[in-house]
Amino acid sequence: MQRFLLRRLVSLALSLLAASLAIFLVIEVVPGDPASYMLGLNASPETVAALRDQLGLNAAPPARYLAWLGGMIRGDFGISYTYKVPVADLVLQRLQVSLPLALYALALTAMLAFPAGLVAAARRGRAADAAVMGATQLGIALPNFWFAMLLVLVFSLHWQVFPAGGFPGWDSGLGAGIAALTLPAVALALPQAAILARVLRSALIETEGQDYIRTARAKGLTRGQTMLRHALRNAMIPVMTILGMQFSFLLAGAIIIENVFYLPGLGRLIFQAITQRDLIVVESVVMILVFAVILVTFLVDLAYAAIDPRLRRRA
Amino acid sequence: MTLLSVRNLSLSIGRHPILSDVSFDIGEGQIFGLVGESGSGKSMTALALMGLAPASARVRGTAQFGGIDLLAQTERQMTRLRGRDIGMIFQEPMTALNPMKTIGDQVAETLLVHRAVSRAATRTDAQAVAAEKLARVGLPTDRFPLSLYPHELSGGQRQRVAIAMAIALRPRLLIADEPTTALDVTTQAQILDLLRGLAADEGLALLLITHDLAVVADMARQLAVMQGGRIVETGATEPLFRAPRQDYTRRLLRAAEHRPARRPPARSTDSSAPLLSVEGAVRDYILPRPSAFAPHPLLRAVDRVSFSIRPGESLGLVGESGCGKSTLTRAILGLDPLQGGAIRLGQAPVTAGRTMPAALRARMQVVFQDPYGSFNPRHRVSRLVAEPFHLTGRPPDADRRIAAALEEVGLSAADRHKYIHEFSGGQRQRIAIARALIIRPDLIVLDEAVSALDVRVRAQVLDLLARLQESHGLAYLFISHDLSVVRAVTDRVLVMQSGRIVEEGATEDVFADPRHDYTRRLIAAAPKIPETWKEDADADAD
């Protein structure tokens, strides 16, 4: 198990290094001058030269890469060109919204998907299965911003139980923060839960056909018992894969939902940085997102090994 | 005392009858054999008795078991009976256990599910009993801790775990559905011994389902022969073997012992140059490093193996799974490189990968075991059979040759327009042979090519192979774990153990007078129908 962990950690570090190099190359080295791009078409040559100097673009690319990498390791991501504040502060501030939102949405996703998937698989071909399959089909087909608007109409305008948008900050109390994130989290979770429920259902149905399920039934287990004690754990591998991908998506992919609810999250930060051509912010946020994705993949790999004893030795 | 009395068990799925009026009795502590070819309804009978038939199946009839009718029980009542009064084990030990749970937990589960009768209130109690039961089936805890996972055990060991699970609560009836079909002969002999011992010691009745007549002859006192969902004949085993009343039973018995008429290769070929020669072949596998900086250990799967095949000769290669048969086969076919020694076909060296010329590859073809997995289901037979033409270039008369190859193996030229799922297992194996034949190779490697076939189909395919060998002067390398088949169809035989050839000689000599200890053990372990039983059957047939 220790060797497994060590190997995974080495591969994690290498993936990060490779990703940082790719991002650096795309943004800084590929033809086109970042400084003139950031300043737009009407900038004077002097301004561009000044910015080049300020960004350190006159140094050789390898030196620039090492400086950038070293800065990130120290937690120094540079100063945002538009906001004039350190990128690290900016990102930390936004993560305080995006990370809880992603985790909240993920928890809701699992809470909705597991019962739905289990019921559908257990009652395969019956009314309950048809209902779950119909609902999930709808959940996948309808975009999450549409759910968001519907939720605002019902829960904010009609019943007035949750705020319609904005984020008061965690200073104003845990309850207020959670309340502000509830409708966005639900809107994000519904389509994701629909996907996950379907994945769980088909994984369970496939597992139910395995020989060891028949063996378990021959021991005297009921269908429900075989599903919970034998099928579910075996069906968790594809489910964990999807959950990992969903978390990565939720962290950065919530741009539309953040816009609908006026939430100062990471997604909006990237969107604004791109429109304002703030390459320093774009570069750093992309790197942080890549880090998050790789970290989640690492955790999913650990989860695989925890679930399946066969994977502990092999990897 | 009758333990189980089945009367007029019928089962249908949709409008298809699967079982019709199946009736038989099993006495307390008796070993009862249920034999038949695949699709005859043996397994479905067992599943119906366990209440595990598919949900869409309609079951009628009665099955009296200790005062209750199994077929009239509700699902809830059946869950109490299963595992407690009736245990069941299945064919595939590799997949019959949950890969994610320890063997201790899986055996203990039987006890915990039936907590009321097992008196195992806690997981610890249950684990203690599980340890005892695993020791009973030959897996003592000091060598096989309860914390092992199924993938850490061999097939035979896994089957023992499955048996421990099934007998943990001392059921009165154990249903064993082809329990040894997936195992090697020596492992099979051990598992059959274990089952026999359990029946004797624990007074447990055994319903033994198998396609292997020799296994039944060895084990069962009573037996029933099934065909097409009906029991065609039932009775005490010995009289039934000696004097089968039904024509079907007679044909089955004859097919099991079938030896195709073969002409031994002409003596003159003895001196001729070998067609295939293997000289000191070594094949190593690289294993994962034991620690981060240690060198990779090597597993020597084939260890300095030498032999040759003459043109037109049939050479057998026998040995248990893991002995290196398949690894050697892959090297001979030029699929994997050797780490030492050489393989020559004619005068040309056999090398792996692209370095081997297509013309050389065209002189060797192969037929694999699985008639279902070895064809692309989306291609028509004409395209499947024509596959080897990529080695020779497609000849102008390809269509005629496809038709001719199909006719040679007993199919019709019109079959080339069909897809593979339209054929039975035996027909598919014929198509595989047609595919091997179409470019007129000198050597065909038959890798367990008849192992998955029913006895009667197997007999036909063996006849076909013998006929083709004679007409085309083919050489065969016949790889099998089934000693009786190898004995029936080969001129010479190699016995392989742990990567080495331990014995080699003319087939009849090796079987009649095995020299090596391992060969002796293999031959002794193979179940046989007693010779004295056969004479009567033969006399009857003639």
Side-chain angles (χ1 to χ4, degrees):
Chain A
M1 193 64 195
Q2 276 174 352
R3 276 186 59 210
F4 174 81
L5 258 175
L6 194 73
R7 278 181 175 226
R8 287 280 138 209
L9 276 171
V10 169
S11 106
L12 174 98
L14 289 177
S15 316
L16 279 177
L17 213 59
S20 68
L21 195 61
I23 292 168
F24 178 80
L25 286 176
V26 166
I27 293 189
E28 303 226 6
V29 177
V30 166
D33 178 29
S36 47
Y37 172 78
M38 284 169 79
L39 290 171
L41 290 172
N42 303 322
S44 69
E46 294 78 30
T47 340
V48 172
L51 183 62
R52 281 188 63 89
D53 197 42
Q54 190 192 334
L55 292 175
L57 288 177
N58 294 322
R64 266 159 51 206
Y65 173 66
L66 288 178
W68 180 59
L69 205 62
M72 278 197 300
I73 290 167
R74 289 194 310 273
D76 174 11
F77 290 81
I79 311 273
S80 161
Y81 186 69
T82 43
Y83 294 87
K84 311 290 184 203
V85 290
V87 177
D89 295 353
L90 209 55
V91 169
L92 269 179
Q93 210 181 9
R94 299 304 182 98
L95 269 179
Q96 284 178 15
V97 177
S98 282
L99 196 62
L101 178 61
L103 290 172
Y104 194 179
L106 200 68
L108 287 176
T109 300
M111 276 159 54
L112 289 170
F114 274 86
L118 277 165
V119 164
R123 317 286 299 169
R124 184 183 175 188
R126 316 251 191 97
D129 184 21
V132 169
M133 291 306 279
T136 53
Q137 184 70 64
L138 212 63
I140 293 170
L142 295 174
N144 56 16
F145 59 82
W146 188 83
F147 282 125
M149 295 185 321
L150 199 69
L151 289 168
V152 168
L153 277 177
V154 175
F155 292 98
S156 305
L157 301 180
H158 186 70
W159 282 334
Q160 306 195 341
V161 277
F162 292 110
F167 186 70
W170 293 108
D171 305 337
S172 51
L174 193 65
I178 290 177
L181 293 183
T182 296
L183 292 188
V186 172
L188 283 170
L190 283 175
Q192 304 296 329
I195 296 170
L196 194 66
R198 284 178 161 244
V199 170
L200 179 62
R201 173 186 178 272
S202 58
L204 279 171
I205 286 172
E206 196 188 318
T207 312
E208 289 270 286
Q210 299 289 324
D211 286 353
Y212 54 80
I213 298 295
R214 193 179 54 182
T215 309
R217 297 267 285 143
K219 283 201 270 192
L221 273 74
T222 61
R223 278 200 64 201
Q225 285 172 323
T226 50
M227 180 165 284
L228 291 174
R229 296 190 198 173
H230 291 274
L232 185 57
R233 188 161 168 190
N234 281 280
M236 278 309 284
I237 295 278
V239 169
M240 289 306 302
T241 312
I242 299 294
L243 262 178
M245 286 162 52
Q246 291 186 331
F247 180 74
S248 311
F249 166 78
L250 288 173
L251 197 58
I255 300 176
I256 297 177
I257 292 296
E258 285 176 2
N259 270 320
V260 171
F261 288 97
Y262 298 105
L263 293 176
L266 217 50
R268 282 182 92 196
L269 177 65
I270 305 186
F271 183 68
Q272 286 158 354
I274 291 172
T275 48
Q276 288 157 1
R277 306 188 164 199
D278 190 344
L279 281 184
I280 301 170
V281 171
V282 173
E283 198 175 49
S284 304
V285 174
V286 168
M287 192 61 217
I288 287 165
L289 290 175
V290 167
F291 178 75
V293 170
I294 292 177
L295 189 71
V296 167
T297 313
F298 171 73
L299 293 176
V300 169
D301 274 351
L302 292 193
Y304 287 162
I307 294 168
D308 190 339
R310 289 167 298 183
L311 296 175
R312 281 170 221 166
R313 185 138 332 152
R314 210 182 62 202
Chain B
M1 264 293 279
T2 307
L3 174 67
L4 173 68
S5 177
V6 180
R7 287 291 169 273
N8 305 320
L9 165 60
S10 297
L11 184 151
S12 54
I13 294 177
R15 279 183 303 159
H16 302 282
I18 309 290
L19 301 173
S20 318
D21 290 326
V22 171
S23 302
F24 60 90
D25 293 303
I26 302 180
E28 303 254 15
Q30 187 186 53
I31 300 183
F32 186 91
L34 189 57
V35 297
E37 296 178 291
S38 50
S40 63
K42 311 182 295 282
S43 296
M44 197 55 92
T45 304
L47 291 175
L49 293 176
M50 289 290 276
L52 293 177
S56 54
R58 280 204 12 247
V59 182
R60 288 176 311 260
T62 62
Q64 289 296 328
F65 176 81
I68 55 164
D69 179 6
L70 291 178
L71 304 182
Q73 301 294 299
T74 62
E75 169 59 22
R76 182 172 283 276
Q77 290 167 321
M78 280 312 289
T79 59
R80 280 198 290 269
L81 283 166
R82 281 185 219 126
R84 188 187 72 188
D85 297 306
I86 310 176
M88 184 161 181
I89 56 173
F90 300 93
Q91 171 170 355
E92 261 311 327
M94 302 316 267
T95 53
L97 303 178
N98 186 336
M100 313 241 177
K101 287 186 168 230
T102 64
I103 58 170
D105 279 345
Q106 297 199 50
V107 178
E109 188 174 42
T110 311
L111 300 151
L112 291 171
V113 168
H114 301 282
R115 200 162 277 168
V117 288
S118 67
R119 291 193 298 277
T122 65
R123 184 163 170 266
T124 325
D125 297 344
Q127 292 263 0
V129 182
E132 200 181 293
K133 294 297 173 183
L134 283 167
R136 173 66 189 88
V137 299
L139 301 174
T141 328
D142 51 338
R143 281 168 50 223
F144 300 94
L146 299 179
S147 57
L148 288 178
Y149 286 97
H151 71 274
E152 298 170 293
L153 300 175
S154 71
Q157 289 163 349
R158 291 186 206 192
Q159 196 61 297
R160 287 173 193 271
V161 175
I163 294 172
M165 289 184 337
I167 61 150
L169 284 169
R170 314 191 70 176
R172 285 181 288 167
L173 174 65
L174 176 64
I175 301 177
D177 188 357
E178 303 271 7
T180 58
T181 304
L183 304 174
D184 284 320
V185 273
T186 50
T187 317
Q188 163 168 287
Q190 291 160 6
I191 295 287
L192 292 177
D193 265 351
L194 172 64
L195 289 174
R196 207 184 281 123
L198 286 170
D201 298 351
E202 320 232 339
L204 137 138
L206 179 65
L207 172 56
L208 178 67
I209 297 172
T210 178
H211 70 284
D212 190 334
L213 292 160
V215 167
V216 190
D218 207 27
M219 293 279 293
R221 294 281 298 280
Q222 293 282 320
L223 105 108
V225 181
M226 282 194 88
Q227 183 204 14
R230 295 172 185 278
I231 289 189
V232 292
E233 185 158 7
T234 177
T237 308
E238 187 179 338
L240 199 148
F241 270 78
R242 281 180 183 274
R245 290 188 302 273
Q246 296 298 321
D247 187 46
Y248 176 75
T249 316
R250 211 169 289 142
R251 274 184 287 150
L252 211 56
L253 284 169
R254 220 178 303 152
E257 296 294 318
H258 181 75
R259 304 178 70 121
R262 298 182 58 242
R263 218 175 41 198
R267 276 278 152 213
S268 65
T269 57
D270 273 14
S271 55
S272 64
L275 171 66
L276 179 85
S277 65
V278 178
E279 289 149 26
V282 172
R283 182 82 185 86
D284 289 327
Y285 281 113
I286 296 172
L287 300 178
R289 299 171 199 271
S291 65
F293 298 103
H296 285 286
L298 294 177
L299 173 76
R300 184 145 289 190
V302 174
D303 190 4
R304 283 164 294 163
V305 165
S306 300
F307 65 90
S308 60
I309 304 178
R310 290 186 296 271
E313 186 185 34
S314 234
L315 180 69
L317 177 62
V318 298
E320 297 183 284
S321 52
C323 75
K325 297 189 302 264
S326 304
T327 309
L328 179 61
T329 312
R330 289 183 60 83
I332 289 172
L333 290 168
L335 299 175
D336 289 334
L338 290 177
Q339 278 72 49
I343 298 173
R344 257 182 277 280
L345 186 62
Q347 293 307 312
V350 170
T351 50
R354 293 178 185 279
T355 53
M356 186 165 162
L360 189 62
R361 282 193 190 276
R363 295 180 60 191
M364 271 192 292
Q365 287 294 301
V366 60
V367 177
F368 292 108
Q369 171 171 4
D370 182 1
Y372 296 89
S374 46
F375 293 101
N376 185 333
R378 305 204 200 286
H379 292 171
R380 288 179 199 277
V381 167
S382 56
R383 179 158 172 196
L384 295 171
V385 170
E387 268 169 2
F389 282 143
H390 76 266
L391 293 169
T392 57
R394 196 179 169 89
D397 62 340
D399 286 331
R400 191 191 56 75
R401 283 176 64 176
I402 292 166
L406 287 172
E407 277 164 1
E408 265 181 334
V409 298
L411 298 170
S412 79
D415 285 333
R416 67 181 187 276
H417 303 302
K418 294 186 186 166
Y419 287 98
I420 199 71
H421 68 263
E422 298 173 66
F423 297 90
S424 69
Q427 287 171 325
R428 289 177 198 213
Q429 218 52 338
R430 287 170 188 271
I431 293 170
I433 295 168
R435 173 167 68 180
L437 274 181
I438 196 158
I439 50 173
R440 296 268 175 264
D442 299 320
L443 172 67
I444 296 185
V445 176
L446 300 157
D447 188 358
E448 301 277 5
V450 297
S451 301
L453 303 178
D454 279 318
V455 277
R456 286 187 306 155
V457 180
R458 186 177 73 191
Q460 292 160 9
V461 172
L462 290 176
D463 279 341
L464 169 69
L465 288 171
R467 206 169 61 237
L468 291 171
Q469 180 166 42
E470 213 175 299
S471 57
H472 295 320
L474 289 167
Y476 289 148
L477 175 59
F478 200 98
I479 299 152
S480 182
H481 69 280
D482 188 334
L483 299 178
S484 65
V485 172
V486 171
R487 186 173 191 172
V489 300
T490 61
D491 308 309
R492 275 192 312 133
V493 67
L494 307 170
V495 182
M496 197 166 179
Q497 183 197 18
S498 317
R500 295 185 187 185
I501 305 290
V502 295
E503 183 156 3
E504 174 178 5
T507 304
E508 260 325 298
D509 299 347
V510 171
F511 277 90
D513 182 19
R515 297 285 160 81
H516 196 276
D517 196 42
Y518 177 70
T519 318
R520 280 196 207 115
R521 266 186 297 158
L522 270 187
I523 293 173
K528 280 176 278 293
I529 301 171
E531 286 299 322
T532 51
W533 293 13
K534 285 187 227 165
E535 284 155 18
D536 297 14
D538 288 348
D540 236 43
D542 293 334

